[in-house]
Amino acid sequence: MFISIFDLLSIGIGPSSSHTVGPMRAAYAYLNELKKNDFWNQTACIKIELYGSLALTGEGHKTDEAVIMGLLGHLPETIDPSIIPSTLKKIRTEKKLSLFNEKRIVFNEKEHLIFHKDQVMPYHSNALRFIAFSPDNQELFNEIFYSIGGGFIVEHRKIQHKTPMKKYFNIPHPFATCSELLAHCDKKNISIHQIMYENELSHHNKSEIKKGIKDIWEAMQVSVINGCKNEGFLPGRLKVKRRAPDLLKHLQNQERIQEPEDVFDWVSLYALAVNEENAAGGRVVTAPTNGGAGVVPAVMHYFEKFTKERPENWVEIFLMTASAIGILYKKGASISAAEMGCQGEVGVACSMAAGALTAVWGGTPKQIEIAAEIGMEHNLGLTCDPVDGLVQIPCIERNTMGAIKAINAARLALRRTGSNHKVSLDDVIKTMFQTGKDMQSIYKETSLGGLAVNVIYC
């Protein structure tokens, strides 16, 4: 299937693409199905059931809030995060909500929003079920959705009853592996970003692509700006203090870069800013997920600040190349921490940023592959163990590490020609997928293992 850059890099809200963005989209999609199947007028209430990782860490990831806002008719790419607290307060006080802001139904959270922490659905750990009931409590319409990472959702019935479909949707350069992608580059003697651009042209016109890329980069810049100015503590009982504002003040007090490690501080600042905004429920870009949202923008800001001679269209080159790499992981493995652990989030983001940075530094397609491979190779086995189910510890700092690794991977790759590189990107994606399957579920966004059980919070 065709995956667009605008599918992979979508603008949404925090703290999680799989636990916040996906469930909000699922609730919205369910209401459309309810209308399509003529159950709208008969619906008196809706029950939502959360399973697996969504149940275990959903409260910390604001899954409950996301579902409610989705039922009101909001989408993550357009919702104003500032309206959420007051809207929820009103619903919880009145015990009613308006579906699509037009049909008022009874809604008692304790009765109608259930966390099944001991149950897992067969297809994916991130599962949620919506059930509509009539005034006499008869079940009308039951639908299960899976939030499969990066804000992507899949309906259970579509998995059960697959209809024949083309593997690719009429794109000039179809690819599912890096070897296929590089073969296109060799055949046409063009770059990875040009392959992606030509594929996008089969679904969007030039002005749409230009505007979409501009919107993504602007959203990334705003998330850094907001993260640098918003002070205080992040929501939740961990009482994690925002560090980006203080780090920015420290760096601004320095007249110039005094030591090489000062550059690391700037990179860390950008990543901290984005992921602190994400943890606070602010607007970020899934790149490819919210949990790893700080890596790509941090490396882009690093390139902008510390590279004197930049290609005029460097933002397009960077984001197109990063997306091509992200698509390889989406097709060959998974970008869901509930399936892969954090190697599927920060690991994939590191790989994407490493390859993209190599591209804007003038690397060849083979060097881009090498950088992306190095970026993931040294994130293999990375677990997802959020303390107290919040996307804060170790998630925020983990993005700073991913960004630094990406820069180093790109530098290493640019010193290689490819002839002496022993591990391909396809090899490492296959290994990542196997590692994720072998990883115990307690290390896959359940908060049942790792730091989540060894760190005492109060």
Side-chain angles (χ1 to χ4, degrees):
M1 63 177 290
F2 173 67
I3 300 174
S4 168
I5 176 179
F6 306 117
D7 296 324
L8 198 73
L9 303 178
S10 64
I11 300 170
I13 61 169
S16 171
S17 48
S18 59
H19 287 57
T20 312
V21 175
M24 189 182 295
R25 288 176 176 159
Y28 188 96
Y30 176 75
L31 292 190
N32 280 322
E33 291 294 323
L34 202 63
K35 279 194 167 185
K36 192 187 301 182
N37 288 279
D38 294 327
F39 294 118
W40 183 258
N41 292 330
Q42 304 170 58
T43 299
C45 71
I46 293 176
K47 184 177 180 181
I48 307 100
E49 299 177 335
L50 307 178
Y51 298 87
S53 179
L54 289 185
L56 289 164
T57 61
E59 290 175 279
H61 288 59
K62 300 189 177 183
T63 304
D64 47 352
E65 298 181 9
V67 168
I68 293 170
M69 300 311 290
L71 290 175
L72 291 175
H74 292 289
L75 285 169
E77 51 266 43
T78 54
I79 190 172
D80 177 359
S82 67
I83 71 166
I84 296 176
S86 59
T87 303
L88 291 171
K89 183 178 179 180
K90 182 179 180 183
I91 290 169
R92 287 163 176 165
T93 300
E94 297 178 351
K95 291 185 169 39
K96 292 182 183 295
L97 63 77
S98 297
L99 304 179
F100 274 156
N101 247 348
E102 58 184 69
K103 180 178 177 61
R104 199 163 168 82
I105 65 169
V106 173
F107 186 77
N108 183 337
E109 231 173 314
K110 289 184 178 179
E111 180 184 348
H112 296 126
L113 187 51
I114 312 300
F115 292 78
H116 292 297
K117 296 184 178 182
D118 59 343
Q119 297 180 43
V120 180
M121 287 289 185
Y123 178 71
H124 196 285
S125 180
N126 291 335
L128 60 167
R129 183 199 302 269
F130 297 87
I131 312 169
F133 292 91
S134 65
D136 59 354
N137 208 35
Q138 296 298 307
E139 183 177 311
L140 297 172
F141 184 58
N142 183 327
E143 180 65 287
I144 298 170
F145 289 83
Y146 298 101
S147 181
I148 60 173
F152 290 84
I153 58 171
V154 179
E155 295 170 55
H156 183 75
R157 61 186 173 83
K158 289 184 178 178
I159 297 169
Q160 281 188 314
H161 309 291
K162 283 187 175 179
T163 54
M165 59 182 293
K166 293 181 180 178
K167 187 177 180 182
Y168 303 106
F169 289 91
N170 193 30
I171 56 177
H173 312 297
F175 65 89
T177 66
C178 189
S179 61
E180 291 176 347
L181 177 59
L182 294 183
H184 289 307
C185 293
D186 290 341
K187 183 178 179 180
K188 294 201 69 175
N189 194 30
I190 59 177
S191 66
I192 289 175
H193 112 265
Q194 289 171 310
I195 294 291
M196 277 293 295
Y197 189 85
E198 290 183 11
N199 281 351
E200 288 294 332
L201 281 174
S202 65
H203 287 70
H204 306 97
N205 61 44
K206 289 182 179 180
S207 61
E208 289 172 335
I209 294 172
K210 183 177 180 180
K211 182 181 184 303
I213 288 173
K214 179 174 177 286
D215 289 346
I216 290 169
W217 177 225
E218 285 182 353
M220 287 179 170
Q221 291 174 300
V222 169
S223 66
V224 170
I225 291 168
N226 289 340
C228 286
K229 73 180 181 183
N230 291 329
E231 299 181 300
F233 294 85
L234 296 173
R237 54 186 178 177
L238 294 180
K239 304 296 181 186
V240 172
K241 187 178 186 297
R242 286 179 178 256
R243 286 177 287 173
D246 288 339
L247 180 54
L248 176 61
K249 290 172 188 174
H250 166 74
L251 292 170
Q252 288 176 331
N253 287 335
Q254 297 180 208
E255 293 182 5
R256 58 185 176 81
I257 299 294
Q258 298 172 344
E259 302 291 343
E261 53 264 32
D262 291 338
V263 176
F264 293 171
D265 287 344
W266 279 101
V267 177
S268 294
L269 168 70
Y270 303 136
L272 285 173
V274 174
N275 283 89
E276 285 174 356
E277 268 303 287
N278 175 62
R283 189 168 302 287
V284 297
V285 176
T286 61
T289 66
N290 283 34
V295 177
V296 169
V299 175
M300 292 181 74
H301 279 78
Y302 157 80
F303 178 78
E304 183 181 50
K305 183 175 180 65
F306 295 105
T307 304
K308 292 180 180 179
E309 295 183 9
R310 302 187 295 270
E312 185 178 353
N313 62 334
W314 76 268
V315 173
E316 177 188 299
I317 295 172
F318 197 107
L319 292 178
M320 285 288 185
T321 306
S323 296
I325 295 165
I327 288 168
L328 295 176
Y329 285 98
K330 180 72 179 163
K331 291 184 175 181
S334 171
I335 57 173
S336 167
E339 280 190 297
M340 296 288 109
C342 199
Q343 61 175 355
E345 297 207 31
V346 169
V348 173
C350 176
S351 183
M352 291 167 60
L357 182 59
T358 304
V360 293
W361 269 342
T364 65
K366 184 61 182 178
Q367 288 172 323
I368 291 167
E369 181 207 9
I370 293 170
E373 185 281 318
I374 294 172
M376 174 52 75
E377 184 178 330
H378 303 289
N379 279 294
L380 288 174
L382 190 61
T383 62
C384 180
D385 50 354
V387 177
D388 204 25
L390 300 169
V391 191
Q392 297 176 17
I393 301 172
C395 320
I396 295 171
E397 284 183 356
R398 192 165 280 171
N399 277 259
T400 71
M401 303 303 290
I404 298 295
K405 280 185 180 181
I407 296 168
N408 195 34
R411 292 183 64 83
L412 288 171
L414 287 169
R415 305 299 183 267
R416 296 272 186 94
T417 61
S419 59
N420 62 343
H421 193 70
K422 306 300 183 185
V423 184
S424 72
L425 182 54
D426 288 332
D427 289 336
V428 88
I429 292 174
K430 181 180 178 181
T431 304
M432 172 210 164
F433 184 66
Q434 292 171 335
T435 303
K437 292 299 182 184
D438 292 340
M439 191 183 291
Q440 293 183 45
S441 62
I442 61 172
Y443 298 114
K444 294 192 281 190
E445 208 167 5
T446 60
S447 288
L448 297 176
L451 286 175
V453 297
N454 287 304
V455 174
I456 305 301
Y457 52 82
C458 59

